[in-house]
Amino acid sequence: MYGQAPAGSTDGQRSPGGTRVETSPGSPSAEASPDRRLLAALRGCGDRPAVAAAARSLSYAGEHAALWLAAGLTGAAADPARRSAWLRATAAVAGAHLTSMAVKRLVRRPRPPEHGGRAALVRTAGRHSFPSSHAASASAAAVAFGALLPPSGGRRLLPAAVAAAMCVSRVVVGVHYPTDVLAGALLGGLTARAGTAPREPGAGRPRTPISRNGRPV
């Protein structure tokens, strides 16, 4: 019979001779998953001051979807002819953010621990990690706003480029696993597609009753 693993250790492994070998959270076997390896690699990029500063700025700008909501309202004010479309796109971004927050409360995945003595570069509003709300709102904005921008000059790609950088920044600052970001991006993209889908002509309008002779009643 083998005793319980000491506190602070993870699942034990047996050597070929049958001896139980404990693995600590920082050991290579405990961090063998691709998710953790990619987290460690991107988190290490944050050791560079310029990268850390850029990642912090993007993370702060995306807090509570502030950057994207401001961009959507600016688009609605600057493009009166398509104001309703911009407002629908902005509502889709807000919906993606709120949906991700609800999923977090259900999944309750803890945020990544300190790795290699590196603490997170930013503070977070909550303790839960999956999915990334920054990624959800950023991806929703890339889909919804990108469809409203002119394709010339690469302006349609601008929201996607900023969104991608913001998604990566959340791993660099050490507050999300890559799978958190991937799930958030998928959630945001799907929410934006559903929220901005074209409506059928006349949808939502009350129908006028028609008599047998074809005249309105």
Side-chain angles (χ1 to χ4, degrees):
M1 296 292 291
Y2 294 93
Q4 292 183 343
S9 65
T10 57
D11 294 339
Q13 298 178 349
R14 297 182 188 275
S15 67
T19 304
R20 190 178 186 83
V21 179
E22 303 297 341
T23 56
S24 63
S27 66
S29 59
E31 298 182 356
S33 70
D35 202 24
R36 290 180 178 272
R37 288 201 301 267
L38 185 55
L39 167 64
L42 290 175
R43 179 63 188 87
C45 295
D47 292 342
R48 302 177 183 178
V51 175
R56 284 195 190 98
S57 298
L58 286 167
S59 286
Y60 289 138
E63 197 69 43
H64 304 299
L67 172 65
W68 307 113
L69 296 178
L73 295 177
T74 300
D79 189 2
R82 295 187 298 173
R83 180 168 296 164
S84 60
W86 278 102
L87 292 177
R88 284 181 61 199
T90 306
V93 172
H97 181 78
L98 293 175
T99 302
S100 70
M101 296 295 291
V103 175
K104 277 184 179 180
R105 292 181 177 273
L106 294 175
V107 178
R108 305 180 71 85
R109 182 186 195 183
R111 292 193 183 273
E114 291 187 11
H115 178 80
R118 299 184 181 98
L121 299 179
V122 295
R123 293 184 177 181
T124 58
R127 298 175 298 169
H128 302 135
S129 178
F130 184 95
S132 166
S133 296
H134 278 67
S137 57
S139 178
V143 172
F145 297 162
L148 296 174
L149 293 173
S152 60
R155 283 180 287 180
R156 181 168 289 183
L157 299 178
L158 180 60
V162 177
M166 183 174 290
C167 288
V168 174
S169 77
R170 298 302 283 170
V171 184
V172 173
V173 298
V175 296
H176 279 294
Y177 294 99
T179 46
D180 299 335
V181 172
L182 178 60
L186 290 174
L187 173 63
L190 292 174
T191 303
R193 289 294 297 271
T196 59
R199 297 180 179 179
E200 296 181 1
R205 297 179 182 177
R207 295 184 178 181
T208 303
I210 304 297
S211 64
R212 291 184 178 180
N213 58 9
R215 295 181 179 180
V217 176

